[in-house]
Amino acid sequence: MSENTTTHHSPGARTRAEVVLSAESRVAQIAQLEAALAADLAEAGRMALAEMRLIASRESREREIPMRSMAAELGAALRMSDRTAQNRIDDAMDITEHYPETFASWSAGRVSERHVQAVLRAGENLTDAAAKAQYDHEVVAVAEVETPGRLRGFAAALAEKAQPRTLQERFDDANATRTVRLFDLADGMSALNAVLPSVQAHGMFNRLTQQARALKDFQAGRSDYGTKLHTEDEPVDDRRTTDQIRADLFSDMLLTSVPSLDPLAGDDCGGLGAIRAIVQVTVPATTLAGMASTPADLSGLSLVDPESARRLAGTAPGWDRVFTHPVTGTVISVDRYRPNDQLKRQLRARDQHCRFIGCRMPTHRCDIDHTVDAALGGPTHQHNLAHLCRRHHSLKHASRWTVKQRGDGVLEWTSPTGRNYTDKPPGVAFEPDVPDPDSHSHSDCHAQCDADTDSLVGEKFASASSPDTPPPF
């Protein structure tokens, strides 16, 4: 049943707007109660620590008994395991002691427990008190306006910004630990675990996912590869899940180099071997030029060390310049040394994901939607286009949700109850490096690159403050 502009109510029933307002109020109340519970758990943890300090024994097991006892008592009272209670106590002590601004926002009902968990997880590697204070002050402002899913990317970037050591220094140490391990499991199974740089790991998983989907499409009778599809006399009865197909393809490629799934096998243009992963990386231009150590950003999911970003830039087939506003960071325009589908690239650089409130579906899985329908005269221009995933594209056209462009890529969504929600382009994860004013003024330069190797393919971007001010490359 489609939505109508008129809703009928039985006597005494609440309106849709009243239900939404009530739900919003209750979520705030729940957050306040959850924060109060965290305060209780933190107090219990401090009691246990005080008891631990009175124990003279140096045996760690004996010294841990007060905390274990407290966790067991709370676990029994709250109907959870003592290990879960211990984790809850640890998180409660962390948020109340090290992130006071975030805890205050939680106590006021402005953020939820899921927001708090995102803040804690992103800040796990911060050990310096000043760094935690800086991170707490900056991340709470984002947490109060973003969903927990989107917050994770921003929180990771803000935690990185607060780190006293650069990502390059820490990546060099971590990269030395890369390894592949084998763990034997029950029932004749084993787990093969690889610790790899993020760009490679994301690229591998992306490629396996594309190959698995291509195989399922082939079996369903759909193909974009020019391959003869099966007929009714040649049924394909493959009941494997996408996860199972991914695992099988992973084994095939490591053992035989090419997926052995005829007729899609092979490195020709019709085979699974021809599929390449898409990994979009945003690189500050000063990092690309070796003038700064600001990290690159992997599609808002992870951070990339500067040296790896420069290697990706050196092997990519081409790169784009993304011109951004020097203050807001809004993407103004994109140019390319070999122009090709410029507007699409500009929108992808600006949006990065679906532009409905809270959605993080990446742009390569979205449609480019005319905000004002082309059939109604809406122009094919960046100020009338935005990426929407299929779910929210359908919602825009089939429900009473509406959207307007407010300039600089800002979208204003209006719900059927008349409530307005603003969605801003994500922009870059880091503030631009401040250049020497005597060298070239107002150069807010960033670059995006997709590497083209056996597992990575894509494009590069760079940016400057205005189309008339090219970056110093």
Side-chain angles (χ1 to χ4, degrees), residues 105-127:
S105 181
W106 190 16
S107 299
R110 293 191 295 270
V111 299
S112 69
E113 185 175 18
R114 289 184 61 202
H115 288 92
V116 171
Q117 288 297 317
V119 170
L120 289 175
R121 297 294 80 81
E124 283 178 338
N125 293 327
L126 292 174
T127 57

Side-chain angles (χ1 to χ4, degrees), residues 166-188:
T166 67
L167 177 62
Q168 186 66 62
E169 293 172 331
R170 288 178 286 117
F171 173 80
D172 290 341
D173 292 342
N175 192 37
T177 69
R178 63 190 182 278
T179 185
V180 176
R181 293 189 179 95
L182 179 67
F183 302 95
D184 291 324
L185 307 176
D187 303 321

Side-chain angles (χ1 to χ4, degrees), residues 33-78:
L33 289 173
E34 288 172 338
L37 173 59
D40 292 339
L41 296 176
E43 185 177 359
R46 287 190 290 271
M47 288 179 181
L49 287 177
E51 293 179 23
M52 291 168 64
R53 295 189 190 100
L54 299 177
I55 298 177
S57 173
R58 294 187 177 182
E59 282 288 331
S60 60
R61 183 172 298 179
E62 291 184 24
R63 292 176 61 84
E64 290 173 1
I65 291 300
M67 186 64 77
R68 291 186 181 184
S69 176
M70 182 67 77
E73 184 166 353
L74 283 169
L78 303 179

Side-chain angles (χ1 to χ4, degrees), residues 2-5 7-9 13-23 395 399-401 414-419:
S2 61
E3 292 182 292
N4 298 313
T5 56
T7 304
H8 299 285
H9 302 280
R14 294 185 296 176
T15 65
R16 178 170 176 165
E18 290 171 338
V19 170
V20 173
L21 185 62
S22 176
L395 183 71
S399 75
R400 289 189 289 121
W401 279 90
T414 303
S415 76
T417 62
R419 296 166 65 96

Side-chain angles (χ1 to χ4, degrees), residues 11 65 90 203 284 319 406 469:
I65 291 300
D90 291 343
W319 57 276
R406 292 303 189 188
T469 310

Side-chain angles (χ1 to χ4, degrees), residues 247-264:
D248 294 341
L249 289 168
F250 180 75
S251 299
D252 277 347
M253 283 191 285
L254 286 182
L255 294 173
T256 68
S257 297
V258 176
S260 58
L261 293 162
D262 188 64
L264 293 182

